[in-house]
Amino acid sequence: MICVFLKKIIIFSVSVCIISVLLFVISKTLYEKYRSTDFSASVIDKYENINSTGEDRIILMGGSNVSFSINSALIEKETKKNVINSASVFNSGYVYQINFLKKFAREKDIIIYIPEFGCYSGKGAYGQEFLYKCIMFEKNVLKVCGLENLRRYFINANRFHIKSIYDILKFRTKVDSELSIDRFSGFNHYGDIIKHLSEKPKLSKIRSFDTVNSLKMSNDFLNLLLETKNYFDLKKINFIVMFPPYSKNFVTENLLNETRDLVSEFDFIQGDLSNNLFEDHFFYDSPYHTLKKAREIRTQNLINILKLN
Amino acid sequence: MLFNSFEFIVFLPIVFILYWFVFRQRKEQNILLLISSYIFYGWWDWRFLSLILFSTFIDYLIGLKLSEEKNQKKRKYLLWISISVNLGMLGFFKYYNFFIESWIEAWSSMGITMNVSSLKVILPVGISFYTFQTLSYTIDVYKKKLNSTKDFIAFASFVSFFPQLVAGPIERASHLLPQFYVNRRFDYNKAVSGMKLILWGLVKKVVIADSCAISANKIFENYENESGLGLCMGAVYFAFQIYGDFSGYSDIAIGTSRLFGFDLMRNFNYPYFSRDISEFWRKWHISLSAWFRDYLYIPLGGSKGSLKIKIRNVFIIFLVSGFWHGANWTFIFWGGLNALFFLPLILTNKNRTNLDIVASNTLFPSIRELLQMVMTFTITTFAWIFFRSETITDALVYIKRIFNYSSFIPDVIRHKKVLPFLAAFVIIEWFSRSKEYAFVLDKKYRYVFYLLFTFLILYYGSVQEKSSFIYFQF
């Protein structure tokens, strides 16, 4: 009888696997059809940018704050260097970000790395949306995603595929939806998101975020930063870590002190967070996605630091 | 190791295959179960295995001594050693900081500052469950209801049996221990019912409880900004969260035990269809209620004796039960509240009125039964507010804001993701209320439902990766 029992369990498990594969195939087929307009197209663009742009480069990397809140054209004008904004939206996680930089940075590059505060703790996994949108469709992402992300992908596979099918079917009829800002047309050729600049602040969305009380820095993250710094030093690449702009209503004195401590302890961590704190209405849809005015101030602050280097 | 984790999906089949195909002798199987249970527990923190081992050794030795000892005084002495060691361990790890902090607060309320430092004591997972289980063994041996065992492996396996080690059901030695003495044969029907229970338990935990948890947590953490209706929904969500979470765990535990040929006692029996609070407590966390009834309530005199004794006993059992759940005044208040709800029934001798299944011969309940069920659900949910809140003040403010009618704004859109699941869940449970578990399906379509439930688990299971079970903290 135990063999009959096991046989049934195996048949059931195989059925679950077959349905999972079917979901993946449907999701991928549907996705390919809308690939050119979906936001992941911007990821392809970023790979093209970093591969094709010549010498004397400044590479901007980090979370979505870098996509939303930096004027690359201004940096290029002021520094006379080629600027590439390689950051992606949807919380790509620090493992991906650092792996990307290690893979594509060249000698004499200047890297400005601006992770969001959420990156300082944890294991650097992708945000769920980034994972399910990109991982199976962008081979380049797969190459640098890291083991933790792969593990999470397999645990979440069915959810990603079901959600992906639902989203694709939904967006097909809503091309100009709110999310279109993250699609291909929302970016300029540097890789900055520009479509939001003239929008009004979404205050209720901004205020739904939690106050950041502490960096809660994980050893994983700190060790990776130190190891990355050494790696880039050997390759003669200038690696600078900065803090994202933030709504002043969402940071505490404790956080400010922690960032100051980091700056005084590690020479490659630079900038004063308090220079990039603004009121809520300077932001678009989160306390670190700036609108035009704060974006200019923040970029100018960044340029000042670059000039000092 | 959590039942809803990837590790357990790998662990369970390995132990199952080894158990039925490699180690087929009873003694070998017991050793395998013991090692597996220690791995299962040690996955969380191997250091605390020493506590289980210590508790196991103490009660094993005391059990042996009790069976040899004829002198009643010495037997009582041995019993008290066991009680002191087990409750001392529980008291230190679970209640030390609570007593210290309450002591400091009491003095500071009189303007005296105390400089007593609290320790950073980690609460070992499941300590309340396995200490009660080992205690039941010693008490039963003391009362000569059970012969002590000489088989240490069987006893250690009984104490640490992994399906129910960390969150019950709290088994009686007289029921579970003898199952380790006999040869187990694979029983197809038992294993199939076990798998069904595991699947249904995971649906309860992952789909119902975890979905409710997201809404309940948001509401309880921001209760000051919620409308009256939002706060009511928060309490309802928590009522279903804790039910789905804990009864789901119990189902998985019972189901897993059946795969290895063991029977565990039932822990939940559709408690939210109870017509009074007494019926609710006969159907909610049955193993704990029965434990307190047999080892505390009845020895205290139960419902016999004078009015004063009856009231005292009801309060003792509910307050102790509340305190068992956690070292916080909120749990004690929750227990006290349930005692207040229970008291009128015991004083009017109506505590054993509703012993049958509600609407057993009809499809739907009568208006009277429906009102009784709604009333019972309302008062238990009201008490859950104290159980869920961080402090009694939080709970009182929460309740006060519910009755703030000016902010009683309908807010249905926010609940549209969870309410359909809750409605479906209640309907499924209602039509299964006479059965052992709500998962008896028509043969024709059952495979489709199994697949549907599996994909629901896979879909919702990834939202909150590795969400723990509430009762682990107790």
Side-chain angles (χ1 to χ4, degrees):
Chain A
M1 286 310 271
I2 193 165
C3 291
V4 179
F5 177 76
L6 283 178
K7 201 173 129 191
K8 287 196 172 180
I9 296 287
I10 290 166
I11 291 171
F12 185 76
S13 307
V14 169
S15 310
V16 171
C17 291
I18 290 170
I19 295 172
S20 300
V21 171
L22 272 175
L23 283 171
F24 167 68
V25 171
I26 295 168
S27 148
K28 190 167 168 61
T29 311
L30 280 171
Y31 196 85
E32 289 295 336
K33 212 172 157 187
Y34 298 98
R35 185 187 178 113
S36 59
T37 54
D38 198 277
F39 93 94
S40 74
S42 67
V43 177
I44 303 167
D45 193 43
K46 284 171 189 295
Y47 280 95
E48 280 171 8
N49 271 355
I50 202 151
N51 274 322
S52 60
T53 312
E55 299 297 306
D56 222 7
R57 310 187 302 175
I58 293 175
I59 303 169
L60 302 163
M61 185 41 131
S64 56
N65 82 85
V66 183
S67 297
F68 276 87
S69 314
I70 281 189
N71 181 349
S72 297
L74 184 62
I75 301 174
E76 192 161 279
K77 191 180 154 199
E78 295 270 334
T79 61
K80 311 279 185 255
K81 287 177 186 287
N82 293 311
V83 178
I84 308 155
N85 188 338
S86 290
S88 297
V89 289
F90 286 110
N91 184 17
S92 51
Y94 69 72
V95 171
Y96 166 77
Q97 292 160 4
I98 296 288
N99 283 351
F100 180 97
L101 291 171
K102 283 181 179 171
K103 190 168 172 60
F104 294 107
R106 303 177 200 145
E107 195 176 316
K108 292 182 187 169
D109 280 346
I110 298 170
I111 294 170
I112 311 290
Y113 181 48
I114 314 171
E116 268 118 37
F117 295 127
C119 274
Y120 284 76
S121 53
K123 292 183 173 179
Y126 288 127
Q128 301 235 344
E129 284 176 89
F130 184 84
L131 190 65
Y132 96 80
K133 283 264 185 182
C134 290
I135 197 166
M136 292 309 279
F137 305 110
E138 306 299 340
K139 286 178 188 165
N140 285 316
V141 176
L142 199 59
K143 281 178 201 166
V144 292
C145 71
L147 276 178
E148 173 66 12
N149 289 307
L150 275 179
R151 187 190 73 81
R152 278 164 57 95
Y153 172 75
F154 283 108
I155 289 173
N156 293 285
N158 280 299
R159 178 178 159 77
F160 291 150
H161 299 149
I162 293 168
K163 203 168 180 313
S164 175
I165 293 167
Y166 172 76
D167 283 354
I168 292 161
L169 294 175
K170 189 175 145 195
F171 291 157
R172 192 179 55 169
T173 55
K174 271 178 83 177
V175 173
D176 290 317
S177 71
E178 192 185 316
L179 271 171
S180 63
I181 210 156
D182 307 320
R183 295 184 183 191
F184 196 72
S185 59
F187 293 78
N188 65 15
H189 74 277
Y190 295 100
D192 309 337
I193 293 178
I194 48 168
K195 204 167 177 177
H196 70 297
L197 293 175
S198 52
E199 298 281 334
K200 286 183 176 168
K202 295 180 176 181
L203 291 174
S204 59
K205 213 169 171 188
I206 293 167
R207 286 168 187 163
S208 68
F209 279 71
D210 294 329
T211 302
V212 188
N213 202 11
S214 167
L215 289 172
K216 294 176 188 162
M217 195 169 207
S218 68
N219 285 336
D220 287 327
F221 184 61
L222 181 62
N223 292 338
L224 185 68
L225 281 188
L226 295 171
E227 183 254 310
T228 306
K229 170 66 180 156
N230 290 336
Y231 176 87
F232 285 139
D233 281 350
L234 290 172
K235 295 216 159 195
K236 294 181 181 159
I237 295 167
N238 194 356
F239 179 63
I240 304 165
V241 177
M242 293 184 193
F243 302 108
Y246 227 84
S247 162
K248 60 171 65 167
N249 301 317
F250 288 85
V251 296
T252 60
E253 197 56 39
N254 181 53
L255 180 82
L256 280 168
N257 290 334
E258 284 183 6
T259 57
R260 281 172 193 142
D261 290 347
L262 279 179
V263 171
S264 63
E265 194 172 345
F266 303 103
D267 59 356
F268 66 99
I269 302 179
Q270 297 183 12
D272 187 346
L273 174 62
S274 61
N275 291 338
N276 291 320
L277 296 180
F278 307 96
E279 291 295 343
D280 290 353
H281 63 269
F282 281 78
F283 293 86
Y284 171 53
D285 61 350
S286 80
Y288 45 90
H289 292 164
T290 58
L291 287 169
K292 198 171 181 178
K293 197 172 176 187
R295 180 175 176 259
E296 298 308 306
I297 300 170
R298 188 270 175 103
T299 307
Q300 196 54 56
N301 287 335
L302 193 150
I303 292 166
N304 293 341
I305 296 172
L306 276 174
K307 283 182 176 170
L308 286 174
N309 275 276
Chain B
M1 206 180 287
L2 296 171
F3 282 159
N4 55 337
S5 68
F6 181 72
E7 290 89 341
F8 188 70
I9 296 173
V10 177
F11 171 84
L12 184 62
I14 292 174
V15 180
F16 181 84
I17 299 289
L18 290 174
Y19 187 86
W20 291 115
F21 290 97
V22 182
F23 304 107
R24 303 177 75 164
Q25 299 299 315
R26 181 182 63 81
K27 284 194 171 176
E28 291 172 352
Q29 287 179 333
N30 284 350
I31 293 170
L32 175 70
L33 284 177
L34 181 62
I35 294 169
S36 309
S37 299
Y38 284 176
I39 292 171
F40 179 88
Y41 191 84
W43 208 264
W44 165 69
D45 193 330
W46 59 270
R47 291 170 303 170
F48 289 108
L49 278 173
S50 55
L51 286 181
I52 299 182
L53 265 169
F54 179 66
S55 181
T56 307
F57 268 114
I58 290 289
D59 284 289
Y60 173 74
L61 293 174
I62 287 178
L64 287 178
K65 282 272 174 206
L66 276 172
S67 59
E68 287 164 10
E69 189 59 61
K70 301 281 182 248
N71 184 315
Q72 194 53 28
K73 256 191 175 178
K74 283 184 181 171
R75 294 187 87 244
K76 207 169 206 172
Y77 178 67
L78 286 167
L79 175 70
W80 276 108
I81 292 175
S82 168
I83 292 173
S84 311
V85 168
N86 283 300
L87 295 187
M89 218 161 66
L90 186 63
F92 176 74
F93 283 98
K94 193 164 176 173
Y95 302 109
Y96 177 83
N97 278 344
F98 171 76
F99 283 122
I100 291 291
E101 281 158 18
S102 298
W103 174 258
I104 296 168
E105 267 176 40
W107 281 103
S108 69
S109 66
M110 290 185 272
I112 301 165
T113 312
M114 298 285 290
N115 287 318
V116 185
S117 58
S118 56
L119 296 175
K120 282 188 179 174
V121 182
I122 303 170
L123 177 66
V125 165
I127 190 167
S128 310
F129 291 89
Y130 65 76
T131 47
F132 270 43
Q133 191 155 303
T134 49
L135 267 179
S136 87
Y137 167 77
T138 318
I139 297 171
D140 284 352
V141 172
Y142 172 77
K143 288 184 172 175
K144 296 182 179 170
K145 286 181 182 172
L146 180 74
N147 292 326
S148 66
T149 181
K150 286 179 182 167
D151 185 345
F152 180 74
I153 297 293
F155 181 70
S157 306
F158 151 76
V159 175
S160 63
F161 189 42
F162 75 86
Q164 44 86 252
L165 171 62
V166 286
I170 302 166
E171 271 296 337
R172 301 303 177 74
S174 53
H175 178 239
L176 184 57
L177 188 55
Q179 295 182 55
F180 284 91
Y181 303 152
V182 292
N183 290 330
R184 271 92 61 181
R185 283 176 190 279
F186 181 79
D187 181 336
Y188 177 81
N189 291 327
K190 197 186 244 186
V192 168
S193 72
M195 284 305 293
K196 287 178 184 174
L197 271 172
I198 292 172
L199 192 59
W200 184 239
L202 283 169
V203 170
K204 277 188 191 172
K205 161 65 185 161
V206 174
V207 183
I208 304 299
D210 288 354
S211 301
C212 286
I214 295 169
S215 303
N217 291 344
K218 265 188 191 163
I219 294 169
F220 271 89
E221 281 158 19
N222 299 297
Y223 65 87
E224 283 167 338
N225 303 317
E226 287 288 338
S227 68
L229 186 65
L231 295 174
C232 283
M233 288 310 298
V236 171
Y237 286 144
F238 182 69
F240 279 97
Q241 181 198 347
I242 194 161
Y243 174 55
D245 192 288
F246 193 24
S247 71
Y249 184 93
S250 296
D251 286 350
I252 301 168
I254 297 166
T256 309
S257 306
R258 287 185 185 179
L259 293 180
F260 297 96
F262 287 86
D263 281 314
L264 295 185
M265 71 182 292
R266 194 175 185 180
N267 218 12
F268 289 85
N269 184 11
Y270 309 101
Y272 287 150
F273 299 136
S274 302
R275 287 153 288 180
D276 60 46
I277 199 76
S278 161
E279 188 184 5
F280 175 83
W281 279 107
R282 279 195 300 275
K283 294 180 166 189
W284 179 276
H285 202 174
I286 299 166
S287 63
L288 181 72
S289 306
W291 200 100
F292 278 127
R293 183 196 62 212
D294 294 348
Y295 297 120
L296 186 65
Y297 187 62
I298 292 173
L300 283 171
S303 57
K304 290 169 189 162
S306 67
L307 186 69
K308 208 171 150 188
I309 286 175
K310 278 182 190 175
I311 296 171
R312 182 201 69 180
N313 292 350
V314 167
F315 269 96
I316 286 176
I317 193 162
F318 276 106
L319 290 175
V320 171
S321 170
F323 199 45
W324 177 90
H325 280 86
N328 194 331
W329 288 103
T330 51
F331 295 117
I332 298 169
F333 204 91
W334 168 78
L337 210 52
N338 274 288
L340 281 177
F341 296 153
F342 195 84
L343 214 53
L345 294 174
I346 204 114
L347 294 179
T348 53
N349 272 331
K350 286 184 178 168
N351 58 316
R352 298 188 68 80
T353 311
N354 297 309
L355 297 172
D356 56 338
I357 296 163
V358 60
S360 53
N361 300 319
T362 55
L363 197 58
F364 298 107
S366 65
I367 300 285
R368 182 189 156 87
E369 285 170 330
L370 184 67
L371 287 175
Q372 285 175 325
M373 284 190 289
V374 170
M375 186 64 198
T376 310
F377 180 74
T378 307
I379 58 172
T380 43
T381 303
F382 180 79
W384 286 132
I385 295 173
F386 287 90
F387 194 94
R388 172 62 180 78
S389 297
E390 300 286 326
T391 62
I392 289 178
T393 314
D394 282 346
L396 292 174
V397 176
Y398 189 104
I399 291 161
K400 196 179 158 196
R401 290 189 66 88
I402 287 180
F403 296 104
N404 181 1
Y405 293 104
S406 61
S407 65
F408 214 87
I409 309 157
D411 188 12
V412 179
I413 301 159
R414 207 158 47 120
H415 308 291
K416 70 177 180 183
K417 279 188 179 173
V418 188
L419 283 178
F421 279 111
L422 280 190
F425 178 63
V426 171
I427 291 167
I428 292 173
E429 287 239 310
W430 174 258
F431 287 109
S432 318
R433 67 194 183 283
S434 58
K435 295 169 184 133
E436 187 197 359
Y437 49 88
F439 203 57
V440 183
L441 295 166
D442 181 71
K443 274 198 170 182
K444 218 173 173 182
Y445 304 108
R446 65 182 176 185
Y447 206 76
V448 176
F449 278 98
Y450 296 156
L451 283 171
L452 179 72
F453 286 138
T454 304
F455 275 90
L456 274 175
I457 293 162
L458 288 171
Y459 187 88
Y460 281 90
S462 55
V463 180
Q464 279 186 307
E465 235 183 281
K466 278 191 174 181
S467 75
S468 189
F469 289 85
I470 294 177
Y471 266 70
F472 273 26
Q473 63 185 297
F474 307 139

